[in-house]
Amino acid sequence: RARSRSTRRDFPAFPRPSRLLELKDARGLNDEKVRRLHALARAALDGRLDAQQLRAMPPEEALASLRELPGVGPFTADAVLYRGCGVADGIPASDELGQTVIKDLYELPTVTSEDVERISDAWRPYRMWAVVLLRMGWTRSEGAGVSYRRG
């Protein structure tokens, strides 16, 4: 939940599952993605997608559990666990763009998962958010180089 500064009242940062089921279409989402959102919403409503349970599991087990849901692959499982469930200290395994950003920022010829672990250790306990912010800076520069390196 996020808090509005001007009115000092809480409002949801992401729609409740029941509200997602009301979604018929959305700009930028094709029909298949809307169906997948609906499947995730139904899984949350019937208890198969429970944020508290997922946070309590080892990451590999939580990700495997998420991938059992209809339409959920590695990228979506990472997004649900790390962002949707609020796991702030984790590095999404399927985040190729995050690896590209780290490679560019640290001027490495290649990046392995071991490199990501070693480098991201300094970002604890907010590794996932550090990667999100780094990706945003890189994406905004349209891949022309990492924007925060331009002085």
Side-chain angles (χ1 to χ4, degrees), residues 78-79 82-83 87-88 90-92 95 97-98 101-102 123 126-140 148:
D78 278 346
Y82 293 108
R83 294 182 78 179
V87 176
I91 297 290
D95 184 13
L97 180 56
V101 172
I102 290 170
W123 307 336
Y126 302 107
R127 292 180 299 162
M128 188 276 302
W129 287 112
V131 170
V132 168
L133 293 172
L134 290 172
R135 285 180 60 173
M136 286 173 60
W138 189 86
T139 302
R140 285 190 178 145
Y148 40 75

Side-chain angles (χ1 to χ4, degrees), residues 77-127:
D78 278 346
V80 169
L81 180 62
Y82 293 108
R83 294 182 78 179
C85 294
V87 176
D89 192 34
I91 297 290
S94 67
D95 184 13
E96 291 179 24
L97 180 56
Q99 290 180 355
T100 298
V101 172
I102 290 170
K103 179 181 171 211
D104 189 30
L105 178 64
Y106 288 88
E107 299 176 339
L108 300 171
T110 61
V111 175
T112 65
S113 56
E114 292 81 17
D115 293 327
V116 172
E117 271 299 316
R118 178 181 45 78
I119 290 167
S120 69
D121 195 55
W123 307 336
R124 290 182 186 272
Y126 302 107
R127 292 180 299 162

Side-chain angles (χ1 to χ4, degrees), residues 16-31:
R16 295 272 179 224
S18 57
R19 187 84 168 111
L20 278 178
L21 287 174
E22 296 172 9
L23 180 71
K24 301 298 178 222
D25 59 19
R27 185 183 303 168
L29 295 181
N30 62 34
D31 290 343

Side-chain angles (χ1 to χ4, degrees), residues 27-106:
R27 185 183 303 168
L29 295 181
N30 62 34
D31 290 343
E32 179 58 28
K33 288 184 180 180
V34 171
R35 280 192 290 278
R36 289 178 183 175
L37 271 177
H38 287 173
L40 286 173
R42 282 189 290 280
L45 289 171
D46 69 16
R48 291 179 294 142
L49 195 165
D50 180 276
Q52 190 172 6
Q53 281 182 331
L54 291 166
R55 282 192 303 265
M57 294 177 181
E60 300 79 23
E61 187 178 325
L63 291 167
S65 175
L66 286 164
R67 285 190 299 267
E68 291 174 4
L69 297 173
V72 175
F75 179 82
T76 302
D78 278 346
V80 169
L81 180 62
Y82 293 108
R83 294 182 78 179
C85 294
V87 176
D89 192 34
I91 297 290
S94 67
D95 184 13
E96 291 179 24
L97 180 56
Q99 290 180 355
T100 298
V101 172
I102 290 170
K103 179 181 171 211
D104 189 30
L105 178 64
Y106 288 88

